[in-house]
Structures are given as structure tokens and as C-alpha cells.
Amino acid sequence: MSVIYERVALIGLGLIAGSMSLAMRRAGVAGEITGYARSAETRTTAHEMGLVDRVCDTAIEAVKDADLVVLAVPVGAMGSVMAEIAPALKAGAVVTDVGSVKKDIFASVLPHLPENVEFIGTHPMAGTEHSGPKSGFAELFDKRWCLIVPTEDSAETEILRIEDFWRALGANTKRMDAEHHDLVCAVVSHTPHLIAYTMVGVADDLSRVTDQEVIEFSAAGFRDFTRIAASDPTMWRDVFLSNKDATLEILGRFTEELFALQRAIRMGDGDHLHEYFTRTRAIRRGIIDAGQDTDAPNFGRNSDAS
Ligand code: NAP
């Protein structure tokens, strides 16, 4: 594959940026990749691993002469990072973020955008519960969706270019506006994470079930909640603080449905439960048919009960 951006700067060197660097190298779409992270510890680790071509001591140094700048820091840090790098961006550069929320990021980033620089939001819908420079891998984005969220001012040629870029990294791309992005993500990602956090918190509070029992028997469904609930606390704090409206809307609906199911259990209304679970089973089928998960029992794990 040919080079799409001659110089790419990654601000933040965690799971997403690290995976992007490895996927860029695999695809051969970047000439030089520079990187910067806040702590000296992360920068040293990234340097020792050779995660990017050049680890820089400042964000300004990393973005100098970059054609594409990727903001891969927690959502709450996007605005201040953009303010810091803005004066150093080259004319004609494209800045993108990979944050899990868009409206709030646009509000914090766009006021700092220089006239001659493009901004296009992107969100790879791929991740793990791990974070930091050692957690990245080149295949993270393969066959996963990357949502492309242009601003009203984004140039079509640059939108097409960044779509090509993400497809070269293995992802499928889909365009949507910021408001819709935030609602979709509240449904498929943010609220499920909150529910997982809650369920794990409840189990932890329940003194009649011992910690040992929770751990021993966790394969019976609970384990997948614990995996999600182990996600990075900073990242997820920022997601909920910044996607407040959409998450609260979906949580309101969730609570209503939960009460309806609670009532069905109390009243012994088996028809309601059966009908509900039949509908949800069809949704799972749709996810498998769309190639977004495996049909293998127990998510393809080779042991344990489900
Ligand atoms: P991560 O592994 O925790 O990495 C975050 C990186 O940002 C670290 O290198 C950190 O540096 C750096 N950083 C934090 N604050 C900074 C600042 N003020 N200036 C410069 N660097 C700073 O996080 P991640 O999972 O890659 O997430 C990055 C972004 O991708 C987030 O906005 C998240 O919403 C989004 N995202 C995440 C996932 C997922 O599942 N993880 C999926 C899609 C999108 P230090 O190590 O020095 O602190």
C-alpha cells in the first residue's frame, strides 16, 4: 500500500495510539510516525519498544511538520492538548481525535483550530480493557467499525483521505454527525459499561456472597461484566461526564425496562419474560450475522460453563 500521510503525530501513546502505530506500519501508510505522551515513563517505554519512529519530549515537537495529528488522549484532555499544539501545526495539516464522544470534544477542540488546519473526528469502535503503551496490537481495528465524524467545515477531499487511512488500518468506516454518534455510542457502548460497573459494584457490596464465590463461579455470566468493569477509570469517567445527555436518556429508558422486567418476575408473568428474551436473542443473532462477534459457545473460550 502507498503512503497516505507522509508524517503522522500521535499525541498520547496508549492502547489506541499504539495500535494505530502498529497498524500503520503493517499497512505502510505513514512515512514517519512521531509520538508524545504526558509522562516520561510512558515516553521511555514507547521509546524502548520502538512503538513509533521518534518519541518526542513535547507535544509541540511531535506535531511539527505533521500532515496528520491524532489526539489519542482521554476525552477530558483533548481541549488543552489542542490549545497547546495549535500554534505549531503546519498549514494544511489534518487533526483528528479518536475519542469515544464527539459533541463535547468538538466544543473543546474547535475553538483552538487554526484557520488553515482541518479537523475531522474519528472513533474506532474497538478496544480492550487494557491501557498504556504495551497494550496495543496491529490487529485491533481489523473488521471493526471506525465512525468518521466530520465538522461542518471539513473538506470532502480530507474526509475521503482519512476514510482511506482507517480502511488501510483494517477498519470499516461509516460517516455520521456528532449528535448521532453520541447517541449511538450511549446505546452500544457507554450505558453497557455503566451497567457492568454497577453489577460488579453490587457483587462487591453483597456480603452474603463471599468474594471467593464471586471469583470461583464468575464464568456463569459475571466474568464478562468484570472484564468490561476493568476498563480504564480515567477514560470512562471522562466519557460519562462528556456524553451526559445521551447517556442519561438511554439510562432512563433502561431503568423503565428494568422495572417492567422486575414486575414481570414479581407477578410471575412468564410470557412477558419469554417474549422479551426472544427479541434480545434475535439482536445477538444480528450481531453475529454482521460479523461483529463469534457464534462459538462461550465467545470461543475453550473451557468453563456459560
Ligand atoms: P490509554 O491507553 O490510557 O492512553 C492514553 C494516553 O494519553 C497515555 O499515553 C497518556 O499518557 C496520554 N495522556 C493523557 N493525558 C495527556 C495529556 N494531557 N497530554 C498528553 N498525553 C496525555 O487510553 P486509550 O484507550 O488509548 O484511549 C485514548 C482515547 O481513545 C480516549 O479518548 C478514548 O476515549 C478513546 N478510545 C478508547 C477505546 C478503548 O476501548 N480503550 C476505544 C475507542 C476510543 P501517560 O501514559 O503518560 O499518562
mmCIF file of all heavy atoms in Angstrom, residues 54-95:
data_model
loop_
_atom_site.group_PDB
_atom_site.id
_atom_site.type_symbol
_atom_site.label_atom_id
_atom_site.label_comp_id
_atom_site.label_asym_id
_atom_site.label_seq_id
_atom_site.Cartn_x
_atom_site.Cartn_y
_atom_site.Cartn_z
ATOM 1 N N ARG A 54 9.808 8.054 16.294
ATOM 2 C CA ARG A 54 10.517 9.066 17.093
ATOM 3 C C ARG A 54 9.616 9.502 18.235
ATOM 4 O O ARG A 54 8.505 9.989 18.006
ATOM 5 C CB ARG A 54 10.860 10.251 16.185
ATOM 6 C CG ARG A 54 11.778 11.269 16.757
ATOM 7 C CD ARG A 54 12.491 12.056 15.635
ATOM 8 N NE ARG A 54 11.581 12.592 14.637
ATOM 9 C CZ ARG A 54 10.957 13.771 14.737
ATOM 10 N NH1 ARG A 54 11.140 14.537 15.783
ATOM 11 N NH2 ARG A 54 10.147 14.183 13.779
ATOM 12 N N VAL A 55 10.068 9.267 19.488
ATOM 13 C CA VAL A 55 9.312 9.748 20.649
ATOM 14 C C VAL A 55 9.839 11.140 20.989
ATOM 15 O O VAL A 55 11.050 11.328 21.090
ATOM 16 C CB VAL A 55 9.488 8.806 21.866
ATOM 17 C CG1 VAL A 55 8.756 9.355 23.095
ATOM 18 C CG2 VAL A 55 8.969 7.403 21.537
ATOM 19 N N CYS A 56 8.936 12.108 21.133
ATOM 20 C CA CYS A 56 9.369 13.487 21.382
ATOM 21 C C CYS A 56 9.108 13.880 22.829
ATOM 22 O O CYS A 56 8.221 13.324 23.490
ATOM 23 C CB CYS A 56 8.615 14.436 20.453
ATOM 24 S SG CYS A 56 8.872 14.039 18.709
ATOM 25 N N ASP A 57 9.868 14.867 23.305
ATOM 26 C CA ASP A 57 9.728 15.295 24.699
ATOM 27 C C ASP A 57 8.590 16.287 24.900
ATOM 28 O O ASP A 57 8.200 16.554 26.027
ATOM 29 C CB ASP A 57 11.039 15.919 25.195
ATOM 30 C CG ASP A 57 12.068 14.829 25.439
ATOM 31 O OD1 ASP A 57 11.655 13.695 25.758
ATOM 32 O OD2 ASP A 57 13.274 15.103 25.275
ATOM 33 N N THR A 58 8.112 16.879 23.797
ATOM 34 C CA THR A 58 6.970 17.794 23.911
ATOM 35 C C THR A 58 5.983 17.500 22.780
ATOM 36 O O THR A 58 6.360 16.954 21.728
ATOM 37 C CB THR A 58 7.402 19.275 23.783
ATOM 38 O OG1 THR A 58 7.899 19.482 22.453
ATOM 39 C CG2 THR A 58 8.478 19.659 24.797
ATOM 40 N N ALA A 59 4.728 17.912 23.034
ATOM 41 C CA ALA A 59 3.694 17.727 22.004
ATOM 42 C C ALA A 59 4.011 18.614 20.797
ATOM 43 O O ALA A 59 3.826 18.225 19.644
ATOM 44 C CB ALA A 59 2.326 18.065 22.587
ATOM 45 N N ILE A 60 4.537 19.813 21.083
ATOM 46 C CA ILE A 60 4.868 20.767 20.023
ATOM 47 C C ILE A 60 5.884 20.155 19.053
ATOM 48 O O ILE A 60 5.748 20.242 17.839
ATOM 49 C CB ILE A 60 5.485 22.062 20.642
ATOM 50 C CG1 ILE A 60 4.532 22.647 21.674
ATOM 51 C CG2 ILE A 60 5.966 23.032 19.582
ATOM 52 C CD1 ILE A 60 3.766 23.849 21.272
ATOM 53 N N GLU A 61 6.908 19.533 19.635
ATOM 54 C CA GLU A 61 7.946 18.915 18.805
ATOM 55 C C GLU A 61 7.344 17.776 17.964
ATOM 56 O O GLU A 61 7.675 17.606 16.792
ATOM 57 C CB GLU A 61 9.019 18.367 19.751
ATOM 58 C CG GLU A 61 10.323 18.014 19.114
ATOM 59 C CD GLU A 61 11.223 17.301 20.135
ATOM 60 O OE1 GLU A 61 11.145 17.611 21.352
ATOM 61 O OE2 GLU A 61 11.982 16.408 19.711
ATOM 62 N N ALA A 62 6.435 17.011 18.577
ATOM 63 C CA ALA A 62 5.858 15.861 17.863
ATOM 64 C C ALA A 62 5.027 16.291 16.664
ATOM 65 O O ALA A 62 5.020 15.617 15.630
ATOM 66 C CB ALA A 62 5.003 15.025 18.832
ATOM 67 N N VAL A 63 4.279 17.404 16.787
ATOM 68 C CA VAL A 63 3.366 17.779 15.687
ATOM 69 C C VAL A 63 4.039 18.613 14.604
ATOM 70 O O VAL A 63 3.439 18.860 13.562
ATOM 71 C CB VAL A 63 2.117 18.550 16.201
ATOM 72 C CG1 VAL A 63 1.375 17.735 17.254
ATOM 73 C CG2 VAL A 63 2.474 19.932 16.734
ATOM 74 N N LYS A 64 5.276 19.031 14.857
ATOM 75 C CA LYS A 64 5.973 19.882 13.878
ATOM 76 C C LYS A 64 6.061 19.148 12.528
ATOM 77 O O LYS A 64 6.491 18.004 12.466
ATOM 78 C CB LYS A 64 7.379 20.191 14.409
ATOM 79 C CG LYS A 64 8.106 21.241 13.642
ATOM 80 C CD LYS A 64 9.406 21.619 14.356
ATOM 81 C CE LYS A 64 10.212 22.597 13.535
ATOM 82 N NZ LYS A 64 10.849 22.003 12.365
ATOM 83 N N ASP A 65 5.587 19.797 11.475
ATOM 84 C CA ASP A 65 5.615 19.263 10.107
ATOM 85 C C ASP A 65 4.716 18.037 9.890
ATOM 86 O O ASP A 65 4.814 17.365 8.859
ATOM 87 C CB ASP A 65 7.048 18.891 9.671
ATOM 88 C CG ASP A 65 7.930 20.118 9.591
ATOM 89 O OD1 ASP A 65 7.419 21.172 9.173
ATOM 90 O OD2 ASP A 65 9.114 20.027 9.969
ATOM 91 N N ALA A 66 3.866 17.715 10.863
ATOM 92 C CA ALA A 66 2.993 16.539 10.684
ATOM 93 C C ALA A 66 1.863 16.857 9.705
ATOM 94 O O ALA A 66 1.298 17.942 9.717
ATOM 95 C CB ALA A 66 2.413 16.110 12.031
ATOM 96 N N ASP A 67 1.535 15.863 8.873
ATOM 97 C CA ASP A 67 0.401 16.001 7.947
ATOM 98 C C ASP A 67 -0.882 15.556 8.632
ATOM 99 O O ASP A 67 -1.954 16.058 8.327
ATOM 100 C CB ASP A 67 0.640 15.130 6.710
ATOM 101 C CG ASP A 67 1.925 15.535 6.021
ATOM 102 O OD1 ASP A 67 1.956 16.627 5.449
ATOM 103 O OD2 ASP A 67 2.924 14.773 6.119
ATOM 104 N N LEU A 68 -0.754 14.560 9.515
ATOM 105 C CA LEU A 68 -1.904 14.102 10.303
ATOM 106 C C LEU A 68 -1.501 14.092 11.771
ATOM 107 O O LEU A 68 -0.467 13.517 12.134
ATOM 108 C CB LEU A 68 -2.314 12.675 9.895
ATOM 109 C CG LEU A 68 -3.455 12.073 10.738
ATOM 110 C CD1 LEU A 68 -4.782 12.793 10.468
ATOM 111 C CD2 LEU A 68 -3.616 10.568 10.466
ATOM 112 N N VAL A 69 -2.323 14.735 12.605
ATOM 113 C CA VAL A 69 -2.094 14.724 14.054
ATOM 114 C C VAL A 69 -3.274 13.998 14.693
ATOM 115 O O VAL A 69 -4.431 14.333 14.435
ATOM 116 C CB VAL A 69 -2.014 16.168 14.606
ATOM 117 C CG1 VAL A 69 -1.899 16.142 16.127
ATOM 118 C CG2 VAL A 69 -0.836 16.907 13.988
ATOM 119 N N VAL A 70 -2.966 12.976 15.492
ATOM 120 C CA VAL A 70 -4.021 12.181 16.120
ATOM 121 C C VAL A 70 -4.045 12.480 17.612
ATOM 122 O O VAL A 70 -3.046 12.256 18.312
ATOM 123 C CB VAL A 70 -3.764 10.667 15.904
ATOM 124 C CG1 VAL A 70 -4.886 9.844 16.520
ATOM 125 C CG2 VAL A 70 -3.606 10.347 14.418
ATOM 126 N N LEU A 71 -5.168 12.990 18.105
ATOM 127 C CA LEU A 71 -5.312 13.220 19.546
ATOM 128 C C LEU A 71 -5.858 11.942 20.158
ATOM 129 O O LEU A 71 -7.032 11.600 19.984
ATOM 130 C CB LEU A 71 -6.272 14.386 19.811
ATOM 131 C CG LEU A 71 -5.983 15.699 19.073
ATOM 132 C CD1 LEU A 71 -7.008 16.764 19.466
ATOM 133 C CD2 LEU A 71 -4.573 16.195 19.376
ATOM 134 N N ALA A 72 -5.002 11.198 20.848
ATOM 135 C CA ALA A 72 -5.383 9.896 21.412
ATOM 136 C C ALA A 72 -5.209 9.928 22.927
ATOM 137 O O ALA A 72 -4.594 9.053 23.522
ATOM 138 C CB ALA A 72 -4.548 8.783 20.774
ATOM 139 N N VAL A 73 -5.737 10.990 23.523
ATOM 140 C CA VAL A 73 -5.666 11.184 24.982
ATOM 141 C C VAL A 73 -7.084 11.059 25.537
ATOM 142 O O VAL A 73 -8.043 11.031 24.771
ATOM 143 C CB VAL A 73 -5.079 12.583 25.311
ATOM 144 C CG1 VAL A 73 -3.655 12.684 24.781
ATOM 145 C CG2 VAL A 73 -5.932 13.707 24.741
ATOM 146 N N PRO A 74 -7.258 10.987 26.865
ATOM 147 C CA PRO A 74 -8.622 10.920 27.407
ATOM 148 C C PRO A 74 -9.460 12.120 26.947
ATOM 149 O O PRO A 74 -8.908 13.215 26.711
ATOM 150 C CB PRO A 74 -8.390 10.947 28.916
ATOM 151 C CG PRO A 74 -7.015 10.393 29.103
ATOM 152 C CD PRO A 74 -6.236 10.877 27.916
ATOM 153 N N VAL A 75 -10.764 11.903 26.828
ATOM 154 C CA VAL A 75 -11.654 12.932 26.275
ATOM 155 C C VAL A 75 -11.481 14.284 26.980
ATOM 156 O O VAL A 75 -11.430 15.329 26.338
ATOM 157 C CB VAL A 75 -13.125 12.437 26.382
ATOM 158 C CG1 VAL A 75 -14.100 13.542 25.998
ATOM 159 C CG2 VAL A 75 -13.340 11.208 25.495
ATOM 160 N N GLY A 76 -11.332 14.251 28.302
ATOM 161 C CA GLY A 76 -11.230 15.484 29.076
ATOM 162 C C GLY A 76 -9.944 16.271 28.820
ATOM 163 O O GLY A 76 -9.841 17.434 29.191
ATOM 164 N N ALA A 77 -8.960 15.638 28.180
ATOM 165 C CA ALA A 77 -7.673 16.322 27.931
ATOM 166 C C ALA A 77 -7.573 16.866 26.505
ATOM 167 O O ALA A 77 -6.611 17.568 26.170
ATOM 168 C CB ALA A 77 -6.513 15.362 28.196
ATOM 169 N N MET A 78 -8.553 16.557 25.646
ATOM 170 C CA MET A 78 -8.454 16.925 24.221
ATOM 171 C C MET A 78 -8.295 18.442 24.026
ATOM 172 O O MET A 78 -7.448 18.892 23.233
ATOM 173 C CB MET A 78 -9.714 16.476 23.460
ATOM 174 C CG MET A 78 -9.920 14.982 23.430
ATOM 175 S SD MET A 78 -8.926 14.188 22.179
ATOM 176 C CE MET A 78 -9.405 12.466 22.404
ATOM 177 N N GLY A 79 -9.131 19.232 24.725
ATOM 178 C CA GLY A 79 -9.139 20.686 24.526
ATOM 179 C C GLY A 79 -7.798 21.312 24.876
ATOM 180 O O GLY A 79 -7.253 22.120 24.109
ATOM 181 N N SER A 80 -7.236 20.929 26.031
ATOM 182 C CA SER A 80 -5.976 21.559 26.445
ATOM 183 C C SER A 80 -4.823 21.124 25.548
ATOM 184 O O SER A 80 -3.917 21.918 25.244
ATOM 185 C CB SER A 80 -5.678 21.250 27.923
ATOM 186 O OG SER A 80 -5.611 19.867 28.103
ATOM 187 N N VAL A 81 -4.860 19.878 25.078
ATOM 188 C CA VAL A 81 -3.805 19.424 24.160
ATOM 189 C C VAL A 81 -3.896 20.210 22.848
ATOM 190 O O VAL A 81 -2.887 20.677 22.310
ATOM 191 C CB VAL A 81 -3.920 17.902 23.895
ATOM 192 C CG1 VAL A 81 -3.021 17.478 22.739
ATOM 193 C CG2 VAL A 81 -3.562 17.113 25.146
ATOM 194 N N MET A 82 -5.119 20.391 22.360
ATOM 195 C CA MET A 82 -5.297 21.137 21.099
ATOM 196 C C MET A 82 -4.809 22.575 21.259
ATOM 197 O O MET A 82 -4.132 23.106 20.360
ATOM 198 C CB MET A 82 -6.780 21.110 20.708
ATOM 199 C CG MET A 82 -7.080 21.736 19.384
ATOM 200 S SD MET A 82 -6.341 20.807 18.009
ATOM 201 C CE MET A 82 -6.395 22.061 16.755
ATOM 202 N N ALA A 83 -5.124 23.185 22.406
ATOM 203 C CA ALA A 83 -4.694 24.576 22.634
ATOM 204 C C ALA A 83 -3.169 24.653 22.607
ATOM 205 O O ALA A 83 -2.585 25.589 22.062
ATOM 206 C CB ALA A 83 -5.240 25.067 23.972
ATOM 207 N N GLU A 84 -2.541 23.633 23.176
ATOM 208 C CA GLU A 84 -1.071 23.640 23.262
ATOM 209 C C GLU A 84 -0.422 23.479 21.887
ATOM 210 O O GLU A 84 0.544 24.171 21.562
ATOM 211 C CB GLU A 84 -0.631 22.504 24.196
ATOM 212 C CG GLU A 84 0.853 22.499 24.472
ATOM 213 C CD GLU A 84 1.292 21.262 25.248
ATOM 214 O OE1 GLU A 84 0.431 20.533 25.802
ATOM 215 O OE2 GLU A 84 2.515 21.025 25.274
ATOM 216 N N ILE A 85 -0.965 22.575 21.066
ATOM 217 C CA ILE A 85 -0.282 22.287 19.788
ATOM 218 C C ILE A 85 -0.663 23.246 18.663
ATOM 219 O O ILE A 85 0.058 23.350 17.670
ATOM 220 C CB ILE A 85 -0.546 20.830 19.309
ATOM 221 C CG1 ILE A 85 -2.045 20.597 19.060
ATOM 222 C CG2 ILE A 85 0.033 19.818 20.281
ATOM 223 C CD1 ILE A 85 -2.371 19.263 18.385
ATOM 224 N N ALA A 86 -1.803 23.948 18.834
ATOM 225 C CA ALA A 86 -2.345 24.759 17.721
ATOM 226 C C ALA A 86 -1.299 25.654 17.040
ATOM 227 O O ALA A 86 -1.187 25.639 15.805
ATOM 228 C CB ALA A 86 -3.542 25.574 18.199
ATOM 229 N N PRO A 87 -0.497 26.409 17.821
ATOM 230 C CA PRO A 87 0.451 27.316 17.150
ATOM 231 C C PRO A 87 1.530 26.581 16.359
ATOM 232 O O PRO A 87 2.178 27.179 15.491
ATOM 233 C CB PRO A 87 1.094 28.079 18.322
ATOM 234 C CG PRO A 87 0.247 27.801 19.518
ATOM 235 C CD PRO A 87 -0.426 26.504 19.283
ATOM 236 N N ALA A 88 1.743 25.298 16.646
ATOM 237 C CA ALA A 88 2.844 24.571 15.995
ATOM 238 C C ALA A 88 2.380 23.762 14.777
ATOM 239 O O ALA A 88 3.203 23.132 14.104
ATOM 240 C CB ALA A 88 3.488 23.629 17.012
ATOM 241 N N LEU A 89 1.068 23.772 14.492
ATOM 242 C CA LEU A 89 0.574 22.936 13.388
ATOM 243 C C LEU A 89 0.952 23.549 12.044
ATOM 244 O O LEU A 89 0.916 24.770 11.876
ATOM 245 C CB LEU A 89 -0.953 22.806 13.480
ATOM 246 C CG LEU A 89 -1.458 22.033 14.704
ATOM 247 C CD1 LEU A 89 -2.971 22.195 14.852
ATOM 248 C CD2 LEU A 89 -1.076 20.557 14.600
ATOM 249 N N LYS A 90 1.276 22.682 11.101
ATOM 250 C CA LYS A 90 1.664 23.227 9.792
ATOM 251 C C LYS A 90 0.402 23.532 8.976
ATOM 252 O O LYS A 90 -0.636 22.868 9.146
ATOM 253 C CB LYS A 90 2.611 22.257 9.098
ATOM 254 C CG LYS A 90 2.051 21.364 8.060
ATOM 255 C CD LYS A 90 3.188 20.637 7.345
ATOM 256 C CE LYS A 90 2.595 19.618 6.383
ATOM 257 N NZ LYS A 90 3.583 18.769 5.754
ATOM 258 N N ALA A 91 0.496 24.496 8.085
ATOM 259 C CA ALA A 91 -0.649 24.844 7.230
ATOM 260 C C ALA A 91 -1.020 23.633 6.380
ATOM 261 O O ALA A 91 -0.141 22.947 5.858
ATOM 262 C CB ALA A 91 -0.279 26.023 6.340
ATOM 263 N N GLY A 92 -2.307 23.339 6.315
ATOM 264 C CA GLY A 92 -2.761 22.200 5.516
ATOM 265 C C GLY A 92 -2.804 20.887 6.277
ATOM 266 O O GLY A 92 -3.213 19.863 5.731
ATOM 267 N N ALA A 93 -2.361 20.917 7.543
ATOM 268 C CA ALA A 93 -2.390 19.679 8.342
ATOM 269 C C ALA A 93 -3.833 19.281 8.647
ATOM 270 O O ALA A 93 -4.742 20.111 8.616
ATOM 271 C CB ALA A 93 -1.629 19.887 9.650
ATOM 272 N N VAL A 94 -4.023 17.982 8.946
ATOM 273 C CA VAL A 94 -5.325 17.483 9.392
ATOM 274 C C VAL A 94 -5.156 17.015 10.829
ATOM 275 O O VAL A 94 -4.195 16.302 11.151
ATOM 276 C CB VAL A 94 -5.798 16.293 8.520
ATOM 277 C CG1 VAL A 94 -7.072 15.673 9.085
ATOM 278 C CG2 VAL A 94 -6.027 16.750 7.086
ATOM 279 N N VAL A 95 -6.086 17.438 11.690
ATOM 280 C CA VAL A 95 -6.087 16.940 13.071
ATOM 281 C C VAL A 95 -7.311 16.049 13.232
ATOM 282 O O VAL A 95 -8.391 16.381 12.748
ATOM 283 C CB VAL A 95 -6.165 18.096 14.096
ATOM 284 C CG1 VAL A 95 -6.202 17.552 15.530
ATOM 285 C CG2 VAL A 95 -4.987 19.043 13.925
#
